[in-house]
Amino acid sequence: MKTWLGISVALLLVVTAGLAGVHRWFNPPAPPAQLFYNGSILTMDATFPQATAMLVQRGEIVALGDAETLRDRVSRDVVTVDLQGGTLMPGFIEAHGHFPGEGLSAVAVDANSPPIGDLYSIETLLERLKLLAQRRPDGPLLAYGFDDTTIGEQRYPSRQELDLVSETRPVLVMHISGHFGVLNSAGLAAMGINEEVTDPIGGYYGRDENGRLNGVLAETAFSPVRTSLLNLSGMDGFRVMRRAAHLYLSRGITFAQNGLADARTLRALAPVLRYGLLPMRLSVWPDAEAQEQISSGRLKLERTPRGYPGSVKLVSDGSLQGFTGFLSEPYYTVPETYPPEYLGFPSLSAEALDEQVVRFHCQDLQVAIHANGDAAIAMSLDAIAAARAQCPEIQRQPVLIHAQMATTEQLNRMVALDVIPSFFNVHVYYWGDRHRDIFLGPERAGRISPLAEAARLELPFTLHADSPVVPFQPLQLVWNAVNRQTASGQLLGPEQAITVERALKAVTIDAARQLGVAEEVGQLRPGLRADLVWLDRDPRESIADWKSIQVRGVWVDGVRRFPDGMTE
């Protein structure tokens, strides 16, 4: 017995030492002192907006001022960082996204068309899926970023076309919106979807002219399929996370966000956050079902040094470019099979949305609601008003995600209800031409993401890219907020443009406030953590040429993570 006890204790010590070693490997300590100098330091702090030097001790900002004065406060062995005339500012923060979705290229086909990728046809998509099948002989075959409106065929691939890739393995092509997908026959069978299936509330199964399933899945019909087939192995999940982390750090992003995490995703992220395997911060938003499990104690979502439990994420409608965003007036044009007065549809009934928002808000939880169309925004604001009335003592600030078609009246209502919208403003670039010509028409398209109007109302707001729907490139978000330019080079709603300074706030301090972390990050001031991005020039002066601005360094908690940190 003593022998077995001794062996058990020894094994426990070995495992503990191994875990400690892993933690240390992924979490090196910050230098005792670092002095950043010889550049422009943008603090995003209105009380002290700019400095020429900054002192950091063990990952915490302790002082700003001039280099000589700050150097005298520490010993001679301080680590110095010569900014070489560049600009240091707070690391960029993702207000809403689906990290690590941008890392899917490690295990799946990137099916994006220009201006993101280079896919022009379904034929090429099938070829790339067949090549993926050769590289990955087991498991589902996945493609992401597909946009039916940008390829030559102007349609989704059919179930039969995906059967040409594999008759035995599930093949899933995910739409760029994240709200639709197409499955082959093996995938439909694996998911138990047959010809007798009925459409769920808030979604549908596509059918051909003969009434048979064509493989298209929309909204609530697609969600369980996406969850099941994206259940990656531990090693594949690590590959995806590693690639996404490298991409984010290379763009100056220090705080990522997973904006719709089910219970399975939370369990997969738990060890990543517990042992510090991710070299940046991450806010995790559980979906309604996962939050129910957390509230009942069946599931844990713990605060860790770089992991943050966030809002409960709810969904009130779908995607404008998928014709499932819920509008108060009909779409500008619709496919031939749609009724002429088609408005889209809500994902939940008004009663169901009210019940969820009231219940979670009255549990003192922040609620974030996906709402694209103005009818969905109206539903969401009604639900928030009901929650405010039922539990007026709760001061949590609700978030409206996307809020693309917000009207003047709705923006004023957001002010009155203390709601913060997070605008998906690069829709102007990626889909603006099609919103103007196909989905919304010129007048409504010009009001997409009404940033200037929100700014005039002094309504706090943030900007996001809903990655991996489109890449989260913070400087592009800032540029598009300032210029309102579409992919074809035309201006769309230029009267809704804002200043560079206001847009930079939306991806730094205002994003931190929305996520509830403004006392840790988002500004450069004493007492906050040293999450930093070093750019080779001042974005306030060069945002028109945003693609040429280089990220020269990124620090998280005072530890340099790019380019010296994690690489692909």
Side-chain angles (χ1 to χ4, degrees):
M1 179 66 70
K2 289 182 178 180
T3 300
W4 283 110
L5 179 61
I7 292 173
S8 299
V9 171
L11 287 173
L12 179 61
L13 290 173
V14 169
V15 170
T16 302
L19 291 175
V22 168
H23 184 274
R24 179 78 174 188
W25 175 265
F26 284 97
N27 298 273
Q34 297 173 91
L35 179 65
F36 297 84
Y37 71 104
N38 190 27
S40 175
I41 298 177
L42 302 183
T43 69
M44 309 311 296
D45 177 3
T47 64
F48 192 77
Q50 197 159 333
T52 57
M54 184 174 73
L55 181 63
V56 173
Q57 293 182 331
R58 302 194 185 281
E60 180 181 310
I61 300 168
V62 295
L64 294 106
D66 67 88
E68 291 307 313
T69 301
L70 297 183
R71 191 186 297 270
D72 290 341
R73 293 184 52 170
V74 293
S75 60
R76 294 185 178 274
D77 60 354
V78 61
V79 175
T80 59
V81 180
D82 184 347
L83 299 173
Q84 301 173 27
T87 297
L88 190 73
M89 60 180 295
F92 297 120
I93 298 173
E94 185 169 42
H96 175 67
H98 300 279
F99 185 91
E102 282 201 55
L104 278 173
S105 57
V107 299
V109 168
D110 183 343
N112 279 289
S113 298
I116 303 173
D118 61 355
L119 184 77
Y120 290 92
S121 70
I122 290 174
E123 180 182 1
T124 302
L125 171 66
L126 299 179
E127 291 172 357
R128 292 178 182 179
L129 281 165
K130 290 174 182 177
L131 289 173
L132 179 67
Q134 294 175 18
R135 297 197 308 270
R136 296 176 62 81
D138 300 307
L141 299 168
L142 307 173
Y144 68 96
F146 178 82
D147 189 340
D148 56 303
T149 68
T150 56
I151 60 166
E153 295 88 344
Q154 292 285 291
R155 63 174 175 84
Y156 289 99
S158 69
R159 163 186 176 179
Q160 291 77 15
E161 286 171 321
L162 295 185
D163 287 346
L164 298 175
V165 176
S166 178
E167 295 182 350
T168 58
R169 300 167 62 183
V171 180
L172 174 63
V173 176
M174 294 177 281
H175 190 258
I176 189 170
S177 68
H179 291 254
F180 304 82
V182 190
L183 265 179
N184 67 340
S185 298
L188 290 170
M191 293 300 302
I193 302 171
N194 56 39
E195 297 294 341
E196 286 70 47
V197 70
T198 57
D199 291 343
I201 296 173
Y204 63 85
Y205 298 96
R207 296 183 181 271
D208 62 21
E209 62 275 8
N210 298 314
R212 294 181 57 81
L213 294 173
N214 62 13
V216 174
L217 313 165
E219 302 295 347
T220 54
F222 173 55
S223 297
V225 172
R226 177 184 58 209
T227 297
S228 178
L229 297 187
L230 281 175
N231 183 26
L232 304 176
S233 69
M235 186 53 68
D236 278 346
F238 186 72
R239 291 190 185 104
V240 169
M241 186 196 74
R242 187 178 179 86
R243 180 161 296 182
H246 174 74
L247 288 171
Y248 272 45
L249 289 168
S250 71
R251 300 169 189 160
I253 303 160
T254 56
F255 207 129
Q257 204 257 347
N258 184 305
L260 189 63
D262 58 19
R264 181 179 290 167
T265 300
L266 292 179
R267 292 188 183 97
L269 286 173
V272 172
L273 298 176
R274 184 179 305 123
Y275 298 113
L277 305 183
L278 187 64
M280 60 179 61
R281 303 184 197 277
L282 179 67
S283 175
V284 182
W285 291 4
D287 65 15
E289 184 178 344
Q291 183 58 53
E292 292 286 4
Q293 295 185 42
I294 293 168
S295 298
S296 66
R298 291 174 290 151
L299 183 65
K300 287 186 177 181
L301 178 55
E302 299 175 328
R303 171 74 162 84
T304 67
R306 291 199 296 275
Y308 300 77
S311 307
V312 185
K313 176 68 177 297
L314 307 176
V315 179
S316 69
D317 74 341
S319 160
L320 295 174
Q321 65 269 35
F323 293 104
T324 55
F326 186 30
L327 298 171
S328 62
E329 298 290 337
Y331 278 82
Y332 190 58
T333 65
V334 292
E336 292 181 359
T337 56
Y338 285 48
E341 298 301 306
Y342 179 76
L343 301 172
F345 53 86
S347 300
L348 297 169
S349 68
E351 294 76 17
L353 183 62
D354 284 0
E355 189 278 328
Q356 285 190 345
V357 174
V358 169
R359 175 158 43 92
F360 291 125
H361 177 79
C362 290
Q363 291 176 20
D364 199 15
L365 297 169
Q366 186 181 42
V367 174
I369 310 172
H370 164 118
N372 270 310
D374 59 328
I377 295 169
M379 281 178 52
S380 301
L381 292 174
D382 285 346
I384 290 168
R388 291 279 194 212
Q390 186 152 331
C391 296
E393 73 281 4
I394 303 296
Q395 299 302 309
R396 297 281 185 179
Q397 185 178 47
V399 184
L400 274 186
I401 298 298
H402 307 326
Q404 291 193 75
M405 301 311 301
T407 66
T408 299
E409 179 186 1
Q410 289 169 344
L411 291 173
N412 277 289
R413 200 173 179 202
M414 291 179 208
V415 174
L417 290 170
D418 189 28
V419 173
I420 182 169
S422 185
F423 292 112
F424 189 173
N425 71 300
V426 280
H427 249 271
V428 170
Y429 177 74
Y430 288 106
W431 286 281
D433 295 309
R434 282 167 283 160
H435 282 318
R436 181 192 61 235
D437 301 334
I438 300 173
F439 305 118
L440 299 170
E443 184 177 348
R444 283 186 297 178
R447 273 196 60 84
I448 284 180
S449 297
L451 305 184
E453 192 168 358
R456 285 194 295 272
L457 293 172
E458 298 184 354
L459 175 65
F461 62 83
T462 63
L463 305 176
H464 68 266
D466 204 21
S467 72
V469 174
V470 298
F472 177 39
Q473 302 190 84
L475 291 172
Q476 182 191 27
L477 269 66
V478 173
W479 165 79
N480 202 235
V482 172
N483 290 278
R484 301 279 297 193
Q485 184 174 304
T486 71
S488 69
Q490 299 183 54
L491 297 183
L492 186 66
E495 66 277 4
Q496 294 295 347
I498 57 174
T499 65
V500 178
E501 290 79 5
R502 181 65 190 85
L504 286 171
K505 283 184 59 182
V507 292
T508 54
I509 181 56
D510 284 346
R513 288 172 179 145
Q514 179 203 298
L515 296 178
V517 295
E519 294 307 310
E520 293 185 54
V521 295
Q523 293 179 319
L524 305 185
R525 58 181 173 85
L528 270 62
R529 305 307 300 171
D531 286 12
L532 319 168
V533 57
W534 169 24
L535 306 174
D536 70 341
R537 68 196 79 172
D538 191 331
R540 298 173 301 176
E541 301 170 358
S542 52
I543 199 63
D545 194 21
W546 71 270
K547 290 182 181 179
S548 69
I549 300 175
Q550 299 296 308
V551 174
R552 306 193 70 171
V554 178
W555 290 258
V556 178
D557 261 335
V559 177
R560 189 162 186 170
R561 294 294 189 172
F562 179 85
D564 299 339
M566 187 175 180
T567 58
E568 287 190 278

